[in-house]
Amino acid sequence: MSVTVRVDAAGVAHVEMCREKAGNAIDLAMATALLEAAGSCARTDGVRAVLLTGRGRSFCVGGDLREFAPLSGDRLAAHLTAVTDALHGALRVFAGLDAPLVAAVQGAVAGAGLGLAAAADLTLAASDATFVAAYTGIGYSPDAGVSWSLPRLVGPKRALDLLLTNRRITAPEAAEMGLVSRVVATDRLAGAAAETAAALARGATGALGATRRLVATGLSAGLDGHLDAEARHLADAAVSDEGREGVAAFLAKREPDWARRRARAGFVTEFK
């Protein structure tokens, strides 16, 4: 079992990487399982937030070098292509959801683990977490979107500092740079992350999805085009069920009822 998905009654999909004895290192099986898990979140009716975690002492130490090391030449290139195709496919699916993605990270966050942490909309880091790019230290270049996400989060100069020198940074440093949203005590990480995901699941999922896409595209879009996109999304939101419910609740001075659909309580899927 590489990855499990459990959708709770509030609509939070709990996606957990389960190779704790290997530091949740990503081998082909786990990359494929992450893609299947992301697809499960996309297909499951009522998923309103996704919480990504890694079981054990570390969130994810990156690629599984023990799997890669025996391979060479075309076999190695084909294997790495298969791993990255699956992992990048998972990132694309998560990015396309309306449901926001929350990551809770602890211990070692390295390589592709850094990419998963950076891909989340909100990343909570335990106070014991450390972050390192690691790629060039073994003669590799980045994957998992690291060369795309890291400059956007911390700026190109800081991104190159981390990517070229493989300097390991602490959770407070990562928060100061903008790599993580906030730092919490290690024994509070699970609870704080669950509370954050649950709060997002209680929100207006359509509006949250539009907002996360606007922020993502706004980093590269021109101002005129982005203003037009904002206007289109706002008009769509206003005429949606969520938009009408939000305005009605505001005028009636009550809490809005966003959750029109609920996920199945106790729904669990395991991916080998």
Side-chain angles (χ1 to χ4, degrees), residues 114 117-118 123 131 150 153-154 162 169 174-181:
L114 186 65
T123 303
F131 302 80
L150 204 57
L153 293 173
V154 307
L162 298 177
I169 62 172
E176 188 275 328
M177 286 184 177
L179 175 57
V180 303
S181 306

Side-chain angles (χ1 to χ4, degrees), residues 35-62:
L35 176 57
E36 292 171 345
S40 177
C41 291
R43 294 188 301 271
T44 300
D45 206 27
V47 169
R48 303 174 64 81
V50 179
L51 176 57
L52 177 63
T53 60
R55 185 181 297 176
R57 296 178 59 185
S58 292
F59 173 68
C60 176
V61 299

Side-chain angles (χ1 to χ4, degrees), residues 26-131:
I26 298 177
D27 59 3
L28 179 56
M30 176 174 274
T32 302
L34 281 169
L35 176 57
E36 292 171 345
S40 177
C41 291
R43 294 188 301 271
T44 300
D45 206 27
V47 169
R48 303 174 64 81
V50 179
L51 176 57
L52 177 63
T53 60
R55 185 181 297 176
R57 296 178 59 185
S58 292
F59 173 68
C60 176
V61 299
D64 190 342
L65 301 185
R66 294 185 184 277
E67 181 181 66
F68 306 160
L71 306 176
S72 61
D74 291 344
R75 288 184 63 208
L76 176 59
H79 184 81
L80 287 175
T81 297
V83 173
T84 54
D85 281 351
L87 179 59
H88 292 177
L91 291 172
R92 290 186 177 100
V93 174
F94 282 132
L97 298 176
D98 280 344
L101 176 62
V102 178
V105 305
Q106 77 285 353
V109 184
L114 186 65
L116 291 172
D121 300 296
L122 297 174
T123 303
L124 277 63
S127 55
D128 71 345
T130 61
F131 302 80

Side-chain angles (χ1 to χ4, degrees), residues 18 82 99 106 129 173 195 218:
C18 304
Q106 77 285 353
E173 288 178 284
E195 291 166 7

